Amino acid sequence: MNTWPFARVRFRSSWIGSLMTAHQTFERSRSWMHRILLKIFSLALFVPLGAGAFVRPDQYQKPASSSPALVSKRIVAAKSHRFRIRTVTAGVNLKNTSDLATVESAIEFLQRAGKKLEDEGYEIQTLRIATQPLPEYLHGKSRAEALADLKAIDRLVAARNVLISIGPVITDDRHEPEFASWATRLVKETKNINFSVTVASPERGLHRQTALTAAETIVAISKSSPGGEGNFRFTAAANCLAGTPFFPVAYHRGPESFSIGLESPGLLQEAFAQSKDIEEAKAKLKTLLESELGPVEKLALGIAQNEHRQYLGIDTSPAPSKDRSIGAAIEALTRVPFGSASTLAACAAITDVLKSLSIKTCGYSGLMLPVLEDPVLAKRAAEGRYSVRELLLYSSVCGTGLDVVPLAGDTPATELAALIRDVAALSTKLHKPLSARLFLIPGKKAGEHAEFDNPFLTSSVVMKLD
């Protein structure tokens, strides 16, 4: 759920140096050559598919202009692949909130693991750490007392371009009116910490009171962060299991571990492009994904053995981005705009394949439909082709629930709580993990157009809640 999402710049320094030298040599002689070299120089800087340095802040972070915490600056090997690795997530158990040594050790592991994957040509978008649920390592401290320690953890991971999730902060069913104030402080005073509250669990079913706490928190964060973007780092989680690599729901249980999350809508679109019907499309997709992900699993198993760390699997959810749209992939299968009849069947078919792969999987392993992070989904929402309720319907056969759904900034907490309870009820009834990451847009009402400065967010309209 989870990803992040700014201009992608790739360059090969040797090309640039050569071009600059050539430019200096010829500019004294031929003006036409001067102009041509300048054009080539510009193309070399901005060609998106060249090899070299790759800078991509995670989808949950602000642009570089407003936040210094770039999540990943990774060097990619000469060979390349047709998908990206959105995250390598390490699971750790903190002894207490001041346990920086364990965090440092996890960062070092992630850097080694990331290099192994990059050496084989895989683009690593982000490195992440997930801890056990925060209440389990407070050890008598109040959340307010732990805030200083959490800020120290945040400074450490931000300095190393790593994200961290402190897991569900509330795991039982209770209404905490003061929680929203604490959560707002956490978001304002940190950069890379993600967190959640549990609104449904296998043991208790629907957490009705915590759903209201979550709703009040979403409202408070939207009012205290520019553009309401602080809600990228918070979600209401329903029956989400440990080991999910995607944020903000991720948390850890058991021995030290790691998992992998993908950014792979392009593979889906490739499989569907020439398929005659849905059965052929499913067969092609299964073959393609197994052939592409098998080598990743082999590398991961080698890392696990060398590092003496448990490998949990790959979350096969094809997380989208602005240049790799899951909406476009679904439309390649249905041949009609997203939201039309057959969209539900397509979502179900894709999920069937994602859950049938002969590799070790973890987490959601289903479709993600983040409205504001996917240009096709955002466009179809602006066209009125689907509603919030239809997104919830699609969640019944596929992925992560309601993700980055644009709602009116003045939406009351009681109405949000009702929607969160619907997500939790569906999750409980179907025995599947879902979450609600709702994006209230300050100053906007339903039906109004919303523009964003964040280059990972796509313009759309504010959706009606009912």
Side-chain angles (χ1 to χ4, degrees), residues 170 174-177 179-181 183-184 196-199 207-223 231 234-237 407-421 436-440 465:
I170 300 176
R174 65 178 185 270
H175 179 222
E176 284 196 34
F179 179 78
S181 175
T184 298
S196 65
V197 297
T198 302
V199 295
H207 296 200
R208 295 185 60 83
Q209 295 304 311
T210 307
L212 177 58
T213 302
E216 292 170 345
T217 302
I218 291 168
V219 171
I221 291 174
S222 73
K223 291 178 178 178
N231 276 309
F234 173 73
T235 194
L407 298 174
D410 61 356
T411 304
T414 52
E415 293 184 17
L416 287 179
L419 180 60
I420 291 170
R421 289 177 186 130
R437 187 165 53 146
L438 305 175
F439 201 83
L440 270 61
L465 187 56

Side-chain angles (χ1 to χ4, degrees), residues 433-465:
L434 295 174
S435 58
R437 187 165 53 146
L438 305 175
F439 201 83
L440 270 61
I441 304 176
K444 294 293 184 178
K445 297 186 180 297
E448 292 184 348
H449 190 72
E451 298 277 351
F452 303 95
D453 293 329
N454 187 330
F456 282 120
L457 294 179
T458 301
S459 301
S460 188
V461 298
V462 178
M463 301 180 75
K464 292 181 180 179
L465 187 56

Side-chain angles (χ1 to χ4, degrees), residues 10 52 67 144 208 233 237 243 250 263 342 447:
R10 298 171 174 271
S67 172
R208 295 185 60 83
R233 296 197 272 143
E263 183 179 303
S342 75

